[in-house]
């Protein structure tokens, strides 16, 4: 059963639980997908490696919101700076994304940002790619342990 | 109304302020109302976008509701989500400001009744005594009773702001945010009223302070212990007085948690600071206290029950926190002592502070020996037993605000390895939601704390207690270097301990800035968190760095009401260094701060409504704020909009330029390294001299490269011409600037946002 990270919050609608095939299909159909990569993904080698592959696999734009020495996770930008741009549909990296995937940020940050986008940008498809279910997204993986989560990312990479 | 005065020989009757509040001060805007400063707020919002991060989709404030405001809907009253989010920010800011105002009113009335109408004298080195008061009220207060004018002003304005939150009032998010800024500014005034009143009445330090002992093991638990929790020092002073009068100073330990701890140690060095708010439940459960005195603010609602578990007696003392307890204020003290010592009354409410102090001391003396036998000691087998009951459902992790890896630590504890569990202590914010959620009823937080107690040495740390105001002579020495940018910035680490990770990260940030010659100020629970960060020799930053308002020095101003002196220092730079008139002159002073004083606040663990009020007030004065990730839960941030109006006027020539600094006014960072880089960046000001800008950019670029391994992409915003580029980085930066098509521009000499102040 998908449980929200924080049971005290009131949501008027909840994210659809989606597994790799659905998310793959959403990303394949997107014109301008954008990956937003947070600190948890950066600090976990396996998570980071799979996300870097996903960015390439789906020819997506990417923003890394965490301190990171590498250059394979896109441009570095603070999460709130990025969220402010997305909220008003301003260009990010020169384009206006139609699908945004949040992965690796703290669960509360993911939730706050996606909820703000749910109101400000109902047109934007919002996906949470994290080991915890995030009700504020349009599509979210269910809560699962880390091994299952990494397997789900592997699944997503499949053609 | 004018004062009514009858003066006969030998008899003087004076009645004043009986009907209504009237501003009496000088200057363009004494006692500014909501509308007086609205244009300043609009000016700020023309460059900083209000970014909304709603926590809840619903509005439940009236019986029209609850209304679903999600995805463009409007409520039954017509309000939309953005306005409602701003309304909630306004309400929360009012709650914070009301707390400090009620605290200030209690202290001032208590002082007038018990100490007298004391002269406001902060010593020979401080002439500008109450810069916030003077700027807002338009006159300089002379005695404590003058401060009541400040309280009247705040109460009038706060009432209006709260009225605006009623249904059918404001509808525009900017107007609501403007009211939040107004409430924040009033809060800042309340801080100053409360802290200056207590400094002069209780003879607290005035610009310098001693090192005191810190940590739970600073307490000598062989003695009876009285633990003060909260923020209002009045009950603590009564306890210290009673002990002194009875010659019991050395017999009884007086300990404190949260801001009342700082203030008690400012009254009497012997009072020990044992920990921040986040350790409240841990240390109460450790059973250190024979008697706990609660005053007000940030006290856990379950503290009475938890204290009972370990046999600690509790006395609540303030009518804002009565705890549902029996009111025994009118009972004889001896009877209360008898009943509490016997355990018949484990917790009571005593509003008379003198009586509360007497009861606390006498009960502590009576129950200490017996209680020592009762207090549970940590037992590794018991921890293992609890861990064996863990179902590994992960519910504890799901509700943990910091995603702590509790399940893995439980697995290891089951095998007898308690190290992971003990290490969680430094990352735990003490909310105990894990315990509330656990289906197996495992006391998760308690065993984390027990594991820590088994692993940790009985360490004591040295921290510097609150020194209160910054001295005028210090301002004279550093005013120029700060305004020119030669001192790269003044960064204040303040507020609550709701840290997103290890409590010691605060120390990492502060040490990095001290090494880079920033002036670092601190206060409240964050000043305590710094006490946990030690070097290899066990020295804290308070021992390593000097207590001066100067480059590379660390100053603890005190409790959260002492934040007034942080803002006060910025205002005093305008008054003393730039000779700006303060009286009733908010806009000019705020304009000076935002354009010339490289100051920034970091509220890494901000949690309370008070922290929101303090920080929101600071932003109106032009001091940017960086929150930790939990800051997103405050729901609105002020993020720089590059498409906004960044016009800065040259006051001398009237010329217009665009200067994008400070780039944000209220920001939330996900990671401490991001917060550190932002804090350094937010100290950049239009007024920086080329040399000053070089120093600031050197710090910004070096830190950015250290954490991100590349040059900051927004460098073109801050490099005005080649003279701004740090020499050691010149080639690299020039190459980058040329690549992105940067064009040099002339620095501005007297920047102002106020068009009316530009001569030309």
């Amino acid at each position: 059963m998908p449980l929200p990270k924080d049971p005290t919050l009131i949501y008027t609608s909840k994210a659809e639980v989606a597994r790799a095939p659905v998310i793959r299909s959403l990303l394949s159909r997107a014109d301008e997908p954008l990956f937003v990569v947070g600190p948890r993904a950066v600090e976990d080698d396996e998570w980071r490696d799979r996300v870097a592959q996903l960015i390439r696999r789906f020819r997506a734009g990417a923003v890394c919101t965490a301190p990171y020495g590498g250059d394979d996770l896109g441009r570095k930008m603070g999460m709130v700076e990025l969220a402010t741009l997305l909220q008003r549909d301003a260009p990010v990296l020169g384009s206006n994304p139609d699908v945004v995937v949040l992965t690796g940020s703290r669960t509360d940050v993911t939730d706050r940002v996606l909820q703000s986008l749910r109101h400000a940008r109902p047109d934007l498809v919002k996906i949470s790619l994290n080991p915890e279910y995030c009700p504020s997204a349009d599509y979210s993986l269910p809560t699962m342990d880390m091994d299952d989560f990494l397997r789900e990312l592997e699944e997503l990479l499949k053609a | 109304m004018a004062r009514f005065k009858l003066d006969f020989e030998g008899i003087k009757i004076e009645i004043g302020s009986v009907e209504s509040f009237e501003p009496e001060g000088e200057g363009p805007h004494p006692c500014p109302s909501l509308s007086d400063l609205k244009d300043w707020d609009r000016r700020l919002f023309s460059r900083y976008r209000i970014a909304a991060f709603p926590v809840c989709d619903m509005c439940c404030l009236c019986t029209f509701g609850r209304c679903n405001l999600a995805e463009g809907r409007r409520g039954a009253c017509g309000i939309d989500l953005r306005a409602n989010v701003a309304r909630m920010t306004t309400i929360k800011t009012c709650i914070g400001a009301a707390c400090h105002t009620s605290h200030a009113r209690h202290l001032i009335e208590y002082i007038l009744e018990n100490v007298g109408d004391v002269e406001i004298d902060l010593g020979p080195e401080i002439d500008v005594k109450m810069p916030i008061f003077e700027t807002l009220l338009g006159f300089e207060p002379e005695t404590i009773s003058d401060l009541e004018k400040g309280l009247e002003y705040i109460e009038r304005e706060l009432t209006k702001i709260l009225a605006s939150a009623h249904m059918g009032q404001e509808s525009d998010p900017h107007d609501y945010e403007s009211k939040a800024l107004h409430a924040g500014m009033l809060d800042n005034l309340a801080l100053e009223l409360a802290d200056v009143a207590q400094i002069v009445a209780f003879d607290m330090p005035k610009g310098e302070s001693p090192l005191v002992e810190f940590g739970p093991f600073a307490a000598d638990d062989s003695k009876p212990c009285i633990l003060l929790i909260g923020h209002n020092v009045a009950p603590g002073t009564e306890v210290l007085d009673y002990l002194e009068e009875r010659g019991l100073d050395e017999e009884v330990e007086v300990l404190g948690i949260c801001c009342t701890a700082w203030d008690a140690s400012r009254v009497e060095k012997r009072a020990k600071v044992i920990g921040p708010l986040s350790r409240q439940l841990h240390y109460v459960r450790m059973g250190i206290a024979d008697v706990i005195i609660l005053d007000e603010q940030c006290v856990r609602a379950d503290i009475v029950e938890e204290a009972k578990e370990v046999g600690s007696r509790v006395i609540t003392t303030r009518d804002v926190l009565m705890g549902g307890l029996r009111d025994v204020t009118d009972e004889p003290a001896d009877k209360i002592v008898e009943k509490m010592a016997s355990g018949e009354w484990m917790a009571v409410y005593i509003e008379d502070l003198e009586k509360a102090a007497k009861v606390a001391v006498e009960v502590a003396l009576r129950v200490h020996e017996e209680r020592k036998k009762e207090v549970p000691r940590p037992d590794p087998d018991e921890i293992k037993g609890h861990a064996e009951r863990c179902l590994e459902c992960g519910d504890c992790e799901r509700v943990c605000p910091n995603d702590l890896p509790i399940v893995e630590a439980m697995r290891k504890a089951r095998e007898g390895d308690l190290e992971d569990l003990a290490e969680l202590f430094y990352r735990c914010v003490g909310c105990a939601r894990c315990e509330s959620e656990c289906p197996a009823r495992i006391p998760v937080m308690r065993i984390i704390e027990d594991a820590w107690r088994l692993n940790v040495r009985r360490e004591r740390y040295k921290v510097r207690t609150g020194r209160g105001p910054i001295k005028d002579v210090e301002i004279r020495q550093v005013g120029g270097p700060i305004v020119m940018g030669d001192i790269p910035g003044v960064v204040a680490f303040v507020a609550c301990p709701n840290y997103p990770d290890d409590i010691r990260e605060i120390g990492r940030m502060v040490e990095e800035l001290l090494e880079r010659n920033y002036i670092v100020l601190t206060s409240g629970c964050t000043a305590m968190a710094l006490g946990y960060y030690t070097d290899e020799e066990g020295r804290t930053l308070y021992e390593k760095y000097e207590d001066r308002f100067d480059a590379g020095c660390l100053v603890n101003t005190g409790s959260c009401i002492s934040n007034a002196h942080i803002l006060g220092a910025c205002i005093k730079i305008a008054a003393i260094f730039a000779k700006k008139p303060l009286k009733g002159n908010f806009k000019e002073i705020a304009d000076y701060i935002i354009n010339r004083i490289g100051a920034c606040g970091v509220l890494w663990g901000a949690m309370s409504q008070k922290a929101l009020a303090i920080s929101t007030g600071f932003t109106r004065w032009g001091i940017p704020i960086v929150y930790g990730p939990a800051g997103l839960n405050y729901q609105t941030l002020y993020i720089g909009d590059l498409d906004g109006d960044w016009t800065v006027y040259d006051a001398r020539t009237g010329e217009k330029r665009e200067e994008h600094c400070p780039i944000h006014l209220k920001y939330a960072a996900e990671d401490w390294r991001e917060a550190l880089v932002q804090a350094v960046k937010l100290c950049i000001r239009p007024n920086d001299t080329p040399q000053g800008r070089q120093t600031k950019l050197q710090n910004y670029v070096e830190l950015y490269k250290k954490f991100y391994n590349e040059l900051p992409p927004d460098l073109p915003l801050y490099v005005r011409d080649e003279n701004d580029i740090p020499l050691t980085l010149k080639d690299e930066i020039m190459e980058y600037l040329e690549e992105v098509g940067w064009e040099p521009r002339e620095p501005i000499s007297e920047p102002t946002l106020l068009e009316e102040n530009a001569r030309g």
Side-chain angles (χ1 to χ4, degrees):
Chain A
M1 180 186 167
L3 287 165
K5 165 68 189 163
D6 184 336
T8 59
L9 301 181
I10 299 169
Y11 298 91
T12 48
S13 56
K14 290 194 167 82
E16 193 173 308
V17 178
R19 305 300 290 250
V22 174
I23 295 173
R24 192 189 308 123
S25 153
L26 289 164
L27 286 168
S28 303
R29 281 184 289 159
D31 291 326
E32 303 278 357
L34 177 73
F35 275 75
V36 182
V37 189
R40 291 196 298 162
V42 166
E43 280 154 26
D44 182 312
D45 291 348
E46 291 179 273
W47 190 342
R48 186 182 64 233
D49 181 54
R50 282 165 178 77
V51 169
Q53 289 181 56
L54 284 169
I55 292 166
R56 288 196 297 274
R57 153 88 169 78
F58 292 102
R59 294 189 190 89
V63 167
C64 178
T65 64
Y68 175 50
D71 58 4
D72 54 346
L73 299 177
R75 182 175 164 175
K76 278 95 180 212
M77 193 186 290
M79 177 62 108
V80 296
E81 290 169 325
L82 173 71
T84 311
L85 292 177
L86 290 172
Q87 280 179 12
R88 62 191 180 104
D89 198 10
V92 180
L93 312 176
S95 70
N96 295 62
D98 55 347
V99 173
V100 64
V101 181
L102 262 66
T103 185
S105 283
R106 285 170 56 99
T107 46
D108 52 352
V109 170
T110 305
D111 195 54
R112 267 309 62 68
V113 169
L114 288 178
Q115 196 173 13
S116 78
L117 294 176
R118 202 151 66 80
H119 301 298
R121 292 290 310 285
D123 58 311
L124 184 67
V125 177
K126 296 160 280 287
I127 300 172
S128 167
L129 206 56
N130 291 292
E132 308 85 12
Y133 173 72
C134 176
S136 296
D138 296 323
Y139 301 90
S140 170
L141 288 176
T143 301
M144 55 180 72
D145 70 26
M146 201 58 194
D147 291 340
D148 289 341
F149 172 67
L150 292 171
R151 271 194 289 276
E152 202 74 23
L153 294 185
E154 283 289 337
E155 192 67 24
L156 198 49
L157 279 165
K158 287 181 183 165
Chain B
M1 165 188 161
R3 289 189 176 188
F4 174 71
K5 198 176 191 180
L6 292 173
D7 206 349
F8 301 99
E9 203 176 334
I11 305 170
K12 186 176 174 186
I13 302 167
E14 190 172 335
I15 302 169
S17 304
V18 290
E19 210 165 69
S20 64
F21 172 80
E22 284 182 21
E24 286 178 348
E26 303 164 25
H29 290 297
C31 302
S33 68
L34 276 167
S35 54
D36 287 336
L37 301 179
K38 192 179 163 195
D39 56 339
W40 172 253
D41 300 339
R42 288 279 171 172
R43 186 74 189 82
L44 296 178
F45 295 141
S46 69
R47 43 156 71 176
Y48 303 108
R49 182 172 282 269
I50 300 168
F53 297 91
V55 168
C56 174
D57 299 339
M58 315 293 290
C59 178
C60 319
L61 282 175
C62 77
T63 66
F64 264 153
R66 32 184 204 166
C67 292
N68 178 6
L69 307 179
E71 295 166 35
R73 295 178 183 88
R74 286 182 182 272
C77 68
I79 202 163
D80 65 13
L81 189 76
R82 278 193 69 209
N84 203 49
V85 165
R87 172 157 72 149
M88 294 312 294
T89 305
T90 303
I91 292 171
K92 283 188 270 187
T93 312
C94 280
I95 294 171
C99 249
H100 286 137
T101 309
S102 148
H103 178 177
R105 180 165 280 293
H106 177 260
L107 271 178
I108 287 168
E109 288 177 355
Y110 172 81
I111 289 165
L112 287 172
E113 194 181 322
N114 294 279
V115 186
D117 193 7
V118 187
E119 185 193 349
I120 295 171
D121 178 3
L122 297 177
E125 294 175 293
I126 299 173
D127 284 333
V128 185
K129 288 171 277 197
M130 298 193 65
I132 303 175
F133 187 104
E134 212 177 315
T135 309
L136 295 180
L137 274 288
F139 70 97
E140 199 180 336
E142 288 172 10
T143 64
I144 295 283
S145 59
D146 286 342
L147 303 186
E148 290 194 306
K149 275 283 173 205
L151 290 172
E152 288 170 29
Y153 164 59
I154 297 171
E155 286 158 357
R156 180 191 72 170
E157 292 298 304
L158 269 185
T159 309
K160 264 197 293 181
I161 301 169
L162 268 177
S164 76
H166 192 269
M167 68 78 55
Q169 301 270 50
E170 286 298 0
S171 55
D172 179 77
H174 294 90
D175 284 330
Y176 267 130
E177 287 294 336
S178 176
K179 287 172 175 61
L181 290 173
H182 199 59
M185 182 193 75
L186 299 169
D187 174 88
N188 299 160
L189 173 60
L191 304 177
E192 191 181 64
L193 295 175
D195 207 44
V196 171
Q198 66 178 10
I199 288 171
V200 296
F202 305 134
D203 196 24
M204 290 179 175
K206 302 172 181 77
E208 45 200 48
S209 58
L211 287 167
V212 294
E213 289 193 329
F214 169 70
F217 302 116
D220 178 354
D221 56 12
S222 68
K223 296 179 183 175
C225 292
I226 297 174
L227 175 61
L228 312 167
I229 307 181
H231 287 75
N232 189 328
V233 77
T237 61
E238 292 282 0
V239 170
L240 291 164
D241 286 349
Y242 185 81
L243 290 171
E244 195 185 340
E245 281 163 20
R246 296 287 185 286
L248 294 168
D249 308 46
E250 300 303 319
E251 310 300 318
V252 178
E253 286 279 75
V254 179
L255 317 169
I257 286 180
C258 211
C259 286
T260 206
W262 281 133
D263 287 342
S265 72
R266 291 164 80 190
V267 174
E268 173 58 68
K269 188 183 166 187
R270 210 171 47 77
K272 287 167 183 162
V273 181
I274 68 163
L277 162 71
S278 56
R279 297 287 184 259
Q280 185 177 160
L281 192 49
H282 287 293
Y283 295 165
V284 167
R285 285 174 169 184
M286 277 170 70
I288 304 169
D290 294 302
V291 175
I292 299 171
I293 298 184
L294 306 177
D295 50 80
E296 58 181 295
Q297 303 160 34
C298 303
V299 177
R300 282 188 65 101
D302 53 359
I303 217 74
V304 174
E305 290 162 49
E306 292 287 345
K308 198 175 168 185
E309 288 289 311
V310 288
S312 300
R313 280 37 169 194
V314 178
I315 302 172
T316 59
T317 54
R318 294 279 294 115
D319 56 5
V320 285
L321 195 176
M322 298 171 77
L325 300 176
R326 178 199 302 263
D327 182 353
V328 298
T329 306
D330 296 328
E331 299 282 358
D334 292 342
K335 179 183 168 187
I336 307 172
V337 172
E338 199 54 50
K339 297 260 188 196
M340 291 192 83
S342 70
E344 188 179 341
W345 293 349
M346 289 298 285
V348 296
Y349 171 70
I350 308 176
E351 195 165 14
D352 175 343
L353 300 185
E354 201 180 333
K355 187 181 283 185
K358 178 182 176 180
V359 169
V361 173
E362 298 301 333
V363 170
L365 288 166
R366 295 265 298 268
V367 303
H368 176 63
E369 280 308 315
E370 192 59 34
R371 270 200 67 255
K372 258 171 63 178
K373 294 175 207 151
E374 292 173 15
V375 176
R377 301 285 165 198
D379 173 4
D381 290 334
E382 194 187 332
I383 298 172
K384 203 172 156 214
H386 282 307
E388 278 165 0
R389 293 195 294 116
C390 176
L391 306 171
E392 298 192 14
C393 64
D395 280 1
C396 49
E397 293 186 1
R398 188 168 56 80
V399 295
C400 174
N402 278 349
D403 299 332
L404 294 185
I406 300 168
V407 173
E408 183 57 30
M410 286 286 191
R411 274 189 208 126
K412 289 192 176 170
R414 206 178 294 156
E415 308 302 319
D417 176 1
L418 303 184
E419 203 169 317
D420 281 20
L421 214 49
E423 195 54 31
L424 292 181
F425 184 76
Y426 293 100
R427 300 167 65 189
C428 170
V429 294
C431 70
R433 278 161 66 168
C434 46
E435 292 186 1
S436 291
E437 202 66 21
C438 179
R441 296 277 172 260
I442 297 171
V444 182
M445 210 181 94
R446 185 193 298 269
I447 63 172
I448 288 173
E449 163 211 312
D450 283 352
W452 169 76
R453 281 170 71 189
L454 288 166
N455 267 28
V456 79
R457 287 180 292 136
R458 291 177 65 85
E459 282 170 341
R460 295 172 181 209
Y461 309 92
K462 289 278 186 195
V463 295
R464 201 170 289 285
T465 191
R467 53 109 87 177
I470 308 303
K471 293 188 245 179
D472 295 8
V473 65
E474 293 174 296
I475 299 288
R476 276 186 204 102
Q477 280 165 1
V478 300
I482 290 173
V483 170
M484 302 303 167
D486 298 334
I487 290 179
V490 181
V491 184
F493 284 81
V494 301
C496 335
N498 183 24
Y499 303 120
D501 206 342
D502 194 315
I503 194 166
R504 293 166 295 197
E505 282 177 353
I506 283 285
R508 288 185 198 136
M509 287 192 263
V510 168
E511 188 164 36
E512 182 75 50
L513 292 174
L514 288 168
E515 287 299 311
R516 291 177 178 275
N517 264 341
Y518 285 77
I519 300 175
V520 178
L521 299 163
T522 187
S523 69
C525 286
T526 291
M528 294 181 203
L530 275 179
Y532 293 105
Y533 183 75
T534 54
D535 64 11
E536 285 165 359
E537 293 159 27
R539 289 185 308 163
T540 63
L541 296 178
Y542 294 106
E543 294 169 276
K544 285 172 71 176
Y545 295 91
E546 283 187 69
D547 169 35
R548 284 188 292 123
F549 188 73
D550 204 346
C553 295
L554 173 63
V555 172
N556 175 15
T557 57
S559 58
C560 56
I561 52 175
S562 313
N563 282 316
H565 308 300
I566 295 172
L567 170 58
C570 296
I571 301 173
K572 281 166 77 158
I573 291 172
I576 295 170
F577 171 72
K579 309 225 179 304
K580 294 277 178 197
L582 293 187
K583 292 187 173 68
N585 200 16
F586 173 85
K587 272 194 269 186
E588 196 175 351
I589 298 301
D591 180 58
Y592 188 87
I593 293 173
I594 199 168
N595 282 301
R596 300 180 196 226
I597 300 177
C600 171
V602 179
L603 286 78
W604 189 234
M607 170 276 297
S608 68
Q609 296 95 336
K610 293 190 302 156
L612 174 65
I614 295 169
S615 53
T616 302
F618 272 39
T619 59
R620 198 188 216 188
W621 292 89
I623 301 174
I625 294 296
V626 179
Y627 296 120
L632 282 168
N633 292 334
Y634 281 143
Q635 302 193 71
T636 50
L637 298 173
Y638 307 150
I639 303 299
D641 176 2
L642 290 179
D643 298 328
D645 178 4
W646 292 87
T647 305
V648 180
Y649 300 92
D650 189 323
R652 207 174 286 167
T653 63
E655 276 181 69
K656 289 199 273 186
R657 300 266 163 69
E658 284 210 333
E659 286 294 339
H660 295 83
C661 52
I663 188 71
H664 305 303
L665 210 47
K666 247 192 204 182
Y667 186 87
E670 271 186 286
D671 178 283
W672 69 271
R673 293 160 292 187
E674 183 191 354
L676 186 58
V677 169
Q678 282 291 339
V680 164
K681 181 165 77 172
L682 294 177
C683 287
I684 296 174
R685 290 293 181 277
N687 192 62
D688 298 336
T689 60
Q691 196 186 345
R693 184 64 64 92
Q694 275 189 33
T695 309
K696 292 183 181 188
L697 284 181
Q698 177 119 18
N699 288 315
Y700 177 42
V701 172
E702 281 178 3
L703 281 172
Y704 198 92
K705 282 179 71 176
K706 180 175 168 181
F707 297 137
Y708 295 88
N709 197 29
E710 60 188 34
L711 286 173
D714 55 1
L715 258 182
L717 293 178
Y718 306 116
V719 180
R720 296 165 298 190
D721 61 29
E722 283 193 38
N723 296 323
D724 286 346
I725 303 174
L727 294 175
T728 54
L729 299 163
K730 194 147 196 166
D731 293 346
E732 189 183 5
I733 290 179
M734 275 312 295
E735 189 184 333
Y736 172 73
L737 291 174
E738 279 164 19
E739 193 183 305
V740 296
W742 164 81
E743 294 283 340
R745 58 187 190 276
E746 259 186 67
I748 199 158
S749 60
E750 275 199 37
T752 175
L753 302 188
L754 304 172
E755 194 174 359
E756 62 271 27
N757 283 9
R759 291 183 286 273

